[in-house]
Amino acid sequence: MTIRQTTLAAAFALAAIGPAQAEGLKPLQGQVIDLGDVSGVAYYTIERDGFRVVATLAKKVEDAVPVRVVAVLAPGQALTLSTPREWGTPADAVDFIRRADTVLVRKAPAARADTVLARKAAAAVTN
């Protein structure tokens, strides 16, 4: 079984555990992530230091090498995953937000993604 097949199998298995609920994910509940040309699955576990969010992503092409992102979130912290797009087009992005004992997953607001890109571009021009 190739890495891509293994990643896709894991994504479908975790997604089958249960769809994301409006109030947020439950521990070990899979959430499918779609970032345009990149997709994958994310879940979290409860650890001593916080909620450990694990996202495995791969480009939607044959034999793409997956990337795993791991972050431990304390209450009030957030993690944003995004894929850039052409200039002037908002990035495809998703936020993982820890609120008390819940992890919320939502599509990141386009305006915020544009603001981040504009600031980076302006900083590059002035340097």
Side-chain angles (χ1 to χ4, degrees), residues 49-73:
D49 297 336
F51 287 7
R52 183 175 182 252
V53 176
V54 179
T56 303
L57 304 164
K59 193 163 179 160
K60 296 177 183 175
V61 296
E62 205 53 43
D63 298 326
V65 176
V67 173
R68 181 167 293 140
V69 177
V70 180
V72 177
L73 301 180

